[in-house]
Amino acid sequence: MSSEQATMAPSGVIKPTEHRSSLLDRFLMQGGIVITFLIVAVVATALVEPRFLNRLNLINVMRNFALLLIPSLAQMLVMTAGGFDLSVGAVVAISSVVTAAVMLVGSGYFPDMEIAVILLSLVAAIGVGVLVGLTNAGLVASLSLSPFMVTLAMMSVLMGIALYFTQGIPIYGVAQSFITGVGRGQFLGLPIVLHVALIVLVACIVMQRFTALGRHIYAVGSDLRSARLSGVATGRTLAIAYVLAGILAALTGFLMTSRLGSGQSTIGGTLALETIAAAVIGGVSLRGGVGRAEHVALAALFLAVIANAMNLVQVDSKYQTLVLGAVLIVALAIDRLLLRKRQA
């Protein structure tokens, strides 16, 4: 027997190195990267800054995580369908302004009906999100315009409207029960906004895994032409994805208003970048058709931990933006490497 024959593995037998490689690939494909990032971030932050594990600080991290998770899920829905939504931060801002304005006016007419006024402001904010989502979807699906350019233009329009309406001045008059009950409230020791975010997360997971809409969104993002030939109503599916994204962004603006105690036209300035970063780090493909809500949630938690760590060690806000950009570049590189592995 030759030396070459002696070193060959029997046909059909997987070598240990190949087995380890396949396990690693599977781990990476199933969210292993973001899990690793999150564990490293938590351990490193806890070692460098002991205040990180303080209960009040962890509650703050959970609130920030929740307010990033909801719009990140919105971004995930659109990206999975093969699009982008750069207007998500502007929708958050204008929804915050609308929420506060409706409460201010409504409390004057119905001073003893705070709950009704709060619900009315929520309906108004959600209405704004639906209108923006329908507009984005109409321009993208009906006119076949670039999602990037459409939502970029929408972002500019919405920010202009919000700034014109408020003149850059916060709108006060938000119901105190709204601030204390929602923005600062807790249930079972956890922030109310976190419970809302987790409900949204579960709804997204169920939709993606067990509904026709979830399958259609994946199909449209994977191959629009094939999805159309398979009988999928591609235009309607895109419209639903953009409308859901608008609703989730508007809900975020509503919740942020309860946290800040006022409606502000300047919030959400970096939210488009943050949500895209959370989506890409969470494994959502820039080409559409790939994305899991639970992985995006882990990525949003990772970004919330990083932001909190930088605040604790007093990193300048300008450098925080730099770090976010660097993290996004790394995530894009990883996305490219995983794509090559899928195609190999």
Side-chain angles (χ1 to χ4, degrees), residues 272-284:
L273 176 62
E274 292 173 5
T275 56
I276 291 173
V280 174
I281 294 171
V284 180

Side-chain angles (χ1 to χ4, degrees), residues 46-322:
L47 291 175
V48 172
E49 181 50 75
R51 290 179 298 171
F52 174 74
L53 296 178
N54 179 276
R55 182 180 181 277
L56 292 179
N57 184 66
L58 291 178
I59 291 294
N60 186 50
V61 171
M62 289 299 101
R63 284 199 180 98
N64 292 335
F65 158 64
L67 294 174
L68 177 58
L69 172 59
I70 298 174
S72 295
L73 293 173
Q75 192 71 256
M76 176 207 69
L77 289 172
V78 176
M79 289 178 65
T80 305
F84 272 101
D85 192 354
L86 299 181
S87 66
V88 62
V91 175
V92 169
I94 199 167
S95 298
S96 175
V97 170
V98 168
T99 297
V102 170
M103 280 193 199
L104 178 62
V105 175
S107 60
Y109 286 99
F110 309 103
D112 300 322
M113 301 176 64
E114 277 196 348
I115 295 179
V117 171
I118 293 171
L119 291 176
L120 181 61
S121 68
L122 174 60
V123 171
I126 296 298
V128 170
V130 171
L131 179 60
V132 173
L134 285 173
T135 304
N136 285 336
L139 294 173
V140 171
S142 300
L143 301 180
S144 299
L145 299 179
S146 165
F148 183 90
M149 296 307 299
V150 166
T151 57
L152 179 64
M154 182 61 72
M155 176 185 71
S156 180
V157 169
L158 294 177
M159 292 303 296
I161 293 173
L163 287 170
Y164 177 80
F165 184 76
T166 64
Q167 297 298 305
I169 301 172
I171 299 178
Y172 295 98
V174 176
Q176 189 60 37
S177 59
F178 180 54
I179 298 173
T180 57
V182 179
R184 301 172 187 168
Q186 296 184 21
F187 178 69
L188 299 177
L190 296 174
I192 294 295
V193 293
L194 178 61
H195 288 285
V196 174
L198 293 179
I199 290 171
V200 173
L201 173 61
V202 171
C204 286
I205 293 173
V206 170
M207 184 202 70
Q208 286 187 314
R209 294 190 177 184
F210 304 110
T211 69
L213 174 60
R215 293 190 294 273
H216 290 172
I217 288 176
Y218 280 123
V220 169
S222 297
D223 191 326
L224 183 63
R225 184 173 179 275
S226 296
R228 187 181 294 117
L229 293 175
S230 300
V232 176
T234 56
R236 185 176 65 186
T237 301
L238 278 173
I240 293 174
Y242 275 101
V243 168
L244 288 176
I247 290 173
L248 294 182
L251 176 61
T252 305
F254 177 80
L255 295 174
M256 279 192 176
T257 305
S258 71
R259 175 94 185 271
L260 299 172
S262 62
Q264 300 187 20
S265 60
T266 55
I267 61 176
T270 61
L271 203 53
L273 176 62
E274 292 173 5
T275 56
I276 291 173
V280 174
I281 294 171
V284 180
S285 174
L286 294 171
R287 286 151 293 277
V290 177
R292 298 277 290 273
E294 59 269 34
H295 297 168
V296 173
L298 291 172
L301 181 57
F302 164 71
L303 292 177
V305 169
I306 291 295
N308 181 258
M310 289 190 291
N311 287 330
L312 288 176
V313 298
Q314 299 180 339
V315 175
D316 189 277
S317 59
K318 296 188 292 296
Y319 297 116
Q320 291 189 26
T321 304
L322 185 151

